[in-house]
Amino acid sequence: MLLVDADSPEPVRSGAHELALFLTPEPGAEARAVEAAIEGLLVALEDLSLATCRFLFQIRSDTSQILEENVPVLKAKVTEMRGIYAKVDRLEAPPGPGPPASELPALYRTEDYVPVDAPEAEHQSR
């Protein structure tokens, strides 16, 4: 209950004002809560920044290892494979002068040894 002061011309208004001041939280508590939330976010941001730096350092380290160790090995393999491909190309190339590879020499022609008009040839063709 509010004490009514006899000197005050408006005791109800004065009591309401005092009650409002009493019930209103102090601004310092809200500011401290906001500062604590900001501090927590800054700590989380710093942790994220450190993790990102570690991750980027690992990527840089892996990239250096690949460039220094693996790329020279791959270049050597590519050079070796080019030599193998050149050999395969020489083997697959058609022969130079002479009969085509798909045609047998005249020595092995069947028609020279077995006449086409022979009765056995007619019998087999049916």
Side-chain angles (χ1 to χ4, degrees):
M1 187 163 172
L2 297 175
L3 298 175
V4 178
D5 196 5
D7 296 336
S8 175
E10 300 179 26
V12 175
R13 177 169 261 184
S14 174
H17 181 68
E18 288 178 16
L19 181 62
L21 288 176
F22 176 74
L23 294 176
T24 303
E26 67 180 89
E30 289 179 0
R32 282 192 295 273
V34 170
E35 286 177 1
I38 290 173
E39 186 67 29
L41 289 173
L42 288 174
V43 168
L45 184 62
E46 185 177 350
D47 291 344
L48 178 64
S49 174
L50 289 175
T52 304
C53 287
R54 280 190 227 113
F55 183 66
L56 290 174
F57 179 76
Q58 184 66 37
I59 289 173
R60 186 178 298 130
S61 174
D62 290 350
T63 302
S64 297
Q65 179 183 4
I66 289 170
L67 290 175
E68 293 171 2
E69 296 174 9
N70 298 347
V71 170
V73 171
L74 287 174
K75 283 184 178 181
K77 292 292 182 183
V78 166
T79 304
E80 182 182 341
M81 289 305 295
R82 284 185 182 150
I84 291 172
Y85 290 149
K87 288 179 184 178
V88 169
D89 288 343
R90 284 194 304 267
L91 289 173
E92 290 180 343
S102 62
E103 189 175 321
L104 294 175
L107 178 69
Y108 299 110
R109 290 195 175 275
T110 307
E111 293 84 16
D112 294 341
Y113 298 99
V114 178
V116 178
D117 56 344
E120 293 173 344
E122 290 178 21
H123 178 62
Q124 289 178 355
S125 63
R126 290 181 192 164

